[in-house]
Amino acid sequence: AMALCLKQVFNKDKTFRPRKKFEPGTQRFELYKKAQASLKSGLDLKAVVQLPPGESINDWIAVHVVDFFNRINLIYGTMSEYCTERSCPIMSGGLRYEYRWQDDSKYKKPTKLSAPQYMCMLMDWIEMLINNEDVFPTRIGVPFPKQFQQVCTKILTRLFRVFVHVYIHHFDSIISMGAEAHVNTCYKHFYYFIREFSLIDHRELEPLVRMALAWAG
């Protein structure tokens, strides 16, 4: 069912699609293959996210940030028709959490946006960053910038908000599309990864904390 949903997204020619791939033959591509193989082998997700011996932590984080961006982008794309200006006039996670958009260009102050507007701004902003060689270098021997992990924290924090909105406001759509297992696995993988490397402030995780406690239990 999930494959059918994804096929429908592509057929509709939506803007939501995987936007960056790893070049075959590069170290990042080999790391990506290693990460995907571990994921598909059914290993415990807590083990899957751990840094492989001898690998660079920044390379490992870069591979996962790009992969999570692609997958979360597609997940939102499958249900974007249910997330409209009318149904979601505010980017929120229930009544307690509201997310405002801020960037360094058009929105210099935190600004209220509808959920679809926020998602569109978010995906474009991340795409710009991960395709920027000064932030996510792809050439061998080119070092990561000093602020690389800070940038990744910001990206992952904002991607987490997509999960918050989708789970709290569109979970019925996830179930009706038969995508529940796929979305849950992606979220678990994401959650264990950010916890393994302390990449998101624990306060940001509060909207979905009950889910995490349920797994731990």
Side-chain angles (χ1 to χ4, degrees):
M2 189 65 194
L4 181 63
C5 290
L6 296 183
K7 192 175 178 185
Q8 287 171 345
V9 172
F10 289 123
N11 289 346
K12 287 174 191 165
D13 195 30
K14 286 186 180 291
T15 54
F16 299 98
R17 61 195 182 277
R19 298 175 177 188
K20 180 166 177 129
K21 292 194 170 95
F22 303 101
E23 290 298 316
T26 62
Q27 182 187 6
R28 208 75 51 78
F29 180 71
E30 295 306 315
L31 258 188
Y32 174 69
K33 283 202 303 185
K34 188 184 289 186
Q36 291 302 303
S38 298
L39 199 57
K40 286 172 185 169
S41 69
L43 289 173
D44 173 18
L45 286 170
K46 283 184 183 175
V48 164
V49 299
Q50 291 168 9
L51 181 66
E55 298 293 354
S56 148
I57 187 168
N58 280 344
D59 274 318
W60 190 239
I61 290 173
V63 162
H64 282 78
V65 167
V66 173
D67 188 40
F68 286 133
F69 166 65
N70 285 337
R71 290 199 281 155
I72 293 167
N73 201 0
L74 274 177
I75 284 171
Y76 182 71
T78 63
M79 55 204 57
S80 58
E81 64 188 279
Y82 304 104
C83 183
T84 64
E85 301 284 329
R86 190 170 181 176
S87 69
C88 306
I90 297 170
M91 175 57 183
S92 60
L95 298 174
R96 289 182 59 195
Y97 303 95
E98 179 185 314
Y99 302 120
R100 298 184 179 190
W101 182 257
Q102 183 176 11
D103 54 36
D104 297 325
S105 51
K106 190 175 177 183
Y107 298 95
K108 296 187 186 297
K109 293 181 180 177
T111 306
K112 276 190 181 188
L113 295 178
S114 67
Q117 284 178 302
Y118 186 101
M119 299 295 186
C120 194
M121 297 296 297
L122 174 60
M123 300 309 177
D124 286 347
W125 173 76
I126 297 174
E127 183 185 17
M128 177 194 69
L129 284 172
I130 64 177
N131 286 306
N132 183 340
E133 283 287 328
D134 293 333
V135 183
F136 278 75
T138 56
R139 295 184 300 279
I140 293 171
V142 177
F144 285 91
K146 285 181 182 176
Q147 75 278 17
F148 177 69
Q149 289 191 25
Q150 289 171 274
V151 171
C152 289
T153 285
K154 202 164 185 181
I155 291 172
L156 293 168
T157 298
R158 289 179 170 183
L159 281 175
F160 176 76
R161 294 170 181 177
V162 179
F163 281 120
V164 173
H165 183 75
V166 165
Y167 270 120
I168 292 176
H169 295 277
H170 301 291
F171 196 64
D172 54 342
S173 301
I174 296 173
I175 292 171
S176 68
M177 290 188 294
E180 185 181 354
H182 176 85
V183 175
N184 285 346
T185 299
C186 185
Y187 176 61
K188 264 191 185 182
H189 187 199
F190 180 93
Y191 176 82
Y192 286 134
F193 184 79
I194 58 157
R195 290 302 300 266
E196 175 73 14
F197 300 103
S198 302
L199 289 167
I200 296 184
D201 189 300
H202 66 92
R203 288 170 299 185
E204 282 281 345
L205 303 176
E206 285 176 6
L208 298 180
V209 74
R210 286 185 183 174
M211 285 182 65
L213 290 172
W215 303 334

